Every structure is written in C-alpha cells, then in structure tokens.
Amino acid sequence: MSEHEDRAIDGQAGAGTGEEALRRSAAFLVDEALGFLFPAALRAAADVGVADRLANGPATAAELAAATGTDARNLYRVLRLLATRGVVAEDEQGRFTLTEAGQALRGDVPYSVRTAVQMLTDRTMWRPAGELTHCLTEGTTAFENIFGMPFFDHFAKDERTAAVFHVGMAAMSDQENAPIAAAYDFPPDGTVVDVGGGHGGLLLEVLRRNPGLEGVLSDRSHVLAGNRLGAHPEIAGRWTAQEGDFFAAVPAGDVLMLKRITHDWDDEACVTLLGHCARALRPGGRVLVLDAVVPPGNTPHQSKDLDLMMMASLTGRERTEADFAELFVRAGLRLSRVIPTPAVLSVVEAVAA
C-alpha cells in the first residue's frame, strides 16, 4: 500500500482525531491540494510534443529540449513529475522512456488523446475550475463571471476555443465509440440519428457494425463541416448530414442518440430537448442518452469529477439513474434500462411513455 493510499484510508469516516491522526490528515490534504500540478505538467508535455519525440526511443531531457525547442532544465522538471505517475520512466542514465500508459499522448497513434488533454486543461476549463467557490456562494457557474458570457456563446465568438473543444472532444470520444457501439443491440434496419453528433465518430462505429442501418448526423453547420463520415467508403450512401438546433427540433428516426449532450444542460433545457426527441421517434423507437451515470456511495467514479467541471463551466450536471428517469417522465418518455459499457458512459435507454 502506498503512502498516499495509507493517508487516504486514515481520512475516511471514523478515523481518530488525536494529534498524530491530525498530522496525517494535514499531510494528506496538502498532498491532494498539490494534485492540480500533474495535469498542468501533462498539458505542457502535450503542447510541446514530448511523447512524439520519445516514440523513437529513450532520450535525455537535453536531447528532448533540443528537438522541441524548449528549456532543458525546466523540461526535465516536468518529465520528473510525469514519471511519478507512470507516463514516462527515467533510467539511471537520465534518459526518459514513454511508458505503455503514456503512449496515447502521442499525436500519431490511433486513439491519441493529446488534443483531449489540451481541451480538458484549456483555460476555458481550467480557470472556472479554480473558481468553484463562486459556484457555491452564488449558485451559478464560474464561467460567465470570468468570460462575460455563457459557455457556448463564448464558443460562437471565439474560433480558437471552438476548435480546441471540438477537436479535443472528438479525440476523447475516439477511444470509447467502438466499445459503446458494441455494447448496445441496435435494430437490424431503420434510421439512427446522432443528435448533436459532432464530427460523427459514434455514428461511424454504429453504421460499421450494423450494415442494415442508415444514419443522420445532426449538428450546427460549422461542426458538420468537420465531419469524418465521407472519408469512409464502407458506409457511403448510408448517411446524411442535417444542420439543426436540437432545442428547436431533431430529425425523425428509429434510434436517437445523444452522446455527452444532456450533461451540458440544466433540467429544463434537457426536458425541452428530450421532448423534441420523443416527438421525433418513429413507432417502436428508442432514445439513447449516452452519458456517465453517477453511482451511489463513496466509490470513485469519473462522473463525480466531471460533475464539478459541469458546475464550473456549464449549467448542466452529471446525473444518477433516478435523475434520468425523472427527466424522461417530464419529456413524455419512460426509462426502460441502463446498459453499462466498457467506457465511463452508460447507455440510458428511453422509450415512448
């Protein structure tokens, strides 16, 4: 058991409050408060492309600095911290190696999350996370207080931010789309609509696995312009792109998918969106909400981390199964089942009420 784990156990309910226990508590909490520096180091390494340079084999910080145009001493300090979490490993000669855990930080491999790391640590996420106290005292997001407008309004005005978000989200989704598509038993034929489907990564995997289905990718025009579906001849002729605003209407279909959509919005907005989905469903159709489902109890789960990101930057939240059931009822739907997937997300299935 690590020192960190030992201190964490002492921090659980029922631990003593004697002087030694309080010292351990203090050490644990200070260690946790320093935790923000690891994603900062991870972002710095992603920004300068260190992992790509290490793809050719071990290298010293000086060699990596020369290749990346960075300061050798400071690069070493970043790599040393990353090594404590197993992203890289330093040998006795001071050479760094990219570990198995660090491979996806490269930009030239399948399922690369380099741009996802950059998106998750972008100033639009990072700065509001540092202002969570505002969320507690004011009951609103910190984002608007910092940037002067809501999250998606800022995206509409800032092309750099929008590009970082959409490219990063696509990269984040790439490694989970195939397992999610495989976890659900899609019908043999009909139309699948990917509502707010971004660049179409999930729809691509669904159509690949289900040759009898046709697909509709629905999103804003500037997002659809970056879709990937046309680059895959195996699904040619089986999909269309349809510009739309899902708060106004959604295309009709047999299966409507909403991946990482509902957690962005408050309950009222979700009821409006899901109500449009209920009306767009063909007879016997299903709505699939693909989001994290918050588990009960004290078990760590990524949904609990993401929920604070939603609180800081958006009006939405991560939801429990009961939360989803309530939303569906209000939208004219009925929760039929929740299907776990190998990814963090679950398939929350709803049918007409």
Side-chain angles (χ1 to χ4, degrees):
M1 180 179 293
S2 70
E3 181 182 0
H4 181 275
E5 292 169 328
D6 185 55
R7 291 204 303 268
I9 288 172
D10 283 339
Q12 292 177 357
T17 56
E19 188 171 324
E20 183 56 35
L22 289 172
R23 284 198 189 97
R24 289 197 298 271
S25 171
F28 167 70
L29 293 173
V30 168
D31 191 42
E32 291 296 297
L34 289 168
F36 74 97
L37 293 166
F38 175 74
L42 195 62
R43 179 190 176 85
D47 282 346
V48 301
V50 166
D52 297 278
R53 301 295 180 175
L54 286 174
N56 298 321
T60 65
E63 292 167 339
L64 291 168
T68 58
T70 56
D71 181 85
R73 179 178 296 178
N74 287 341
L75 180 59
Y76 174 79
R77 295 159 77 181
V78 167
L79 292 171
R80 180 172 59 187
L81 180 58
L82 294 181
T84 67
R85 302 285 189 93
V87 176
V88 296
E90 182 183 8
D91 65 20
E92 294 179 355
Q93 288 74 45
R95 297 175 303 176
F96 288 93
T97 302
L98 191 64
T99 66
E100 180 178 351
Q103 290 295 325
L105 197 60
R106 292 168 54 185
D108 62 346
V109 295
Y111 310 122
S112 167
V113 292
R114 178 181 176 185
T115 56
V117 167
Q118 291 170 311
M119 181 267 291
L120 291 169
T121 57
D122 185 73
R123 59 190 172 90
T124 53
M125 305 293 185
W126 189 274
R127 289 183 61 192
E131 300 291 338
L132 285 180
T133 305
H134 176 89
C135 304
L136 301 182
T137 59
E138 303 301 320
T140 61
T141 72
F143 189 95
E144 190 167 352
N145 189 54
I146 295 169
F147 294 100
M149 63 189 75
F151 188 84
F152 287 112
D153 290 352
H154 181 66
F155 275 30
K157 293 178 178 294
D158 188 329
E159 292 183 3
R160 185 208 70 85
T161 298
V164 167
F165 179 78
H166 290 300
V167 173
M169 281 301 299
M172 189 173 172
S173 294
D174 281 347
Q175 48 85 26
E176 63 189 12
N177 283 331
I180 289 173
Y184 186 76
D185 184 20
F186 285 88
D189 52 37
T191 300
V192 176
V193 181
D194 198 351
V195 179
H199 292 169
L202 176 60
L203 184 59
L204 171 63
E205 296 298 337
V206 170
L207 295 180
R208 276 175 165 169
R209 294 186 61 86
N210 301 275
L213 291 176
E214 295 186 347
V216 177
L217 180 63
S218 177
D219 214 314
R220 299 284 194 172
S221 59
H222 69 278
V223 180
L224 293 176
N227 87 79
R228 316 169 175 184
L229 300 179
H232 297 274
E234 69 270 31
I235 63 167
R238 294 172 50 211
W239 67 275
T240 58
Q242 184 170 328
E243 178 184 353
D245 174 0
F246 51 54
F247 286 125
V250 300
D254 301 286
V255 179
L256 274 57
M257 305 188 299
L258 299 93
K259 182 169 181 275
R260 294 191 186 272
I261 300 294
T262 60
H263 75 161
D264 288 341
W265 303 98
D266 62 27
D267 288 357
E268 294 304 317
C270 286
V271 169
T272 297
L273 166 57
L274 291 169
H276 291 318
C277 292
R279 288 184 287 276
L281 273 185
R282 292 173 181 161
R286 291 165 269 178
V287 175
L288 309 183
V289 173
L290 305 164
D291 257 326
V293 177
V294 183
N298 301 320
T299 304
H301 192 266
Q302 192 181 96
S303 63
K304 298 175 183 180
D305 300 270
L306 290 172
D307 189 47
L308 295 194
M309 181 178 289
M310 298 301 107
M311 182 173 74
S313 293
L314 292 144
T315 61
R317 60 192 175 100
E318 304 299 335
R319 293 177 170 88
T320 65
E321 182 175 339
D323 291 331
F324 282 115
E326 182 179 346
L327 285 182
F328 291 151
V329 168
R330 293 177 60 193
L333 296 165
R334 175 176 58 81
L335 174 65
S336 51
R337 53 181 174 158
V338 176
I339 304 168
T341 78
V344 173
L345 308 187
S346 293
V347 180
V348 186
E349 182 191 69
V351 295

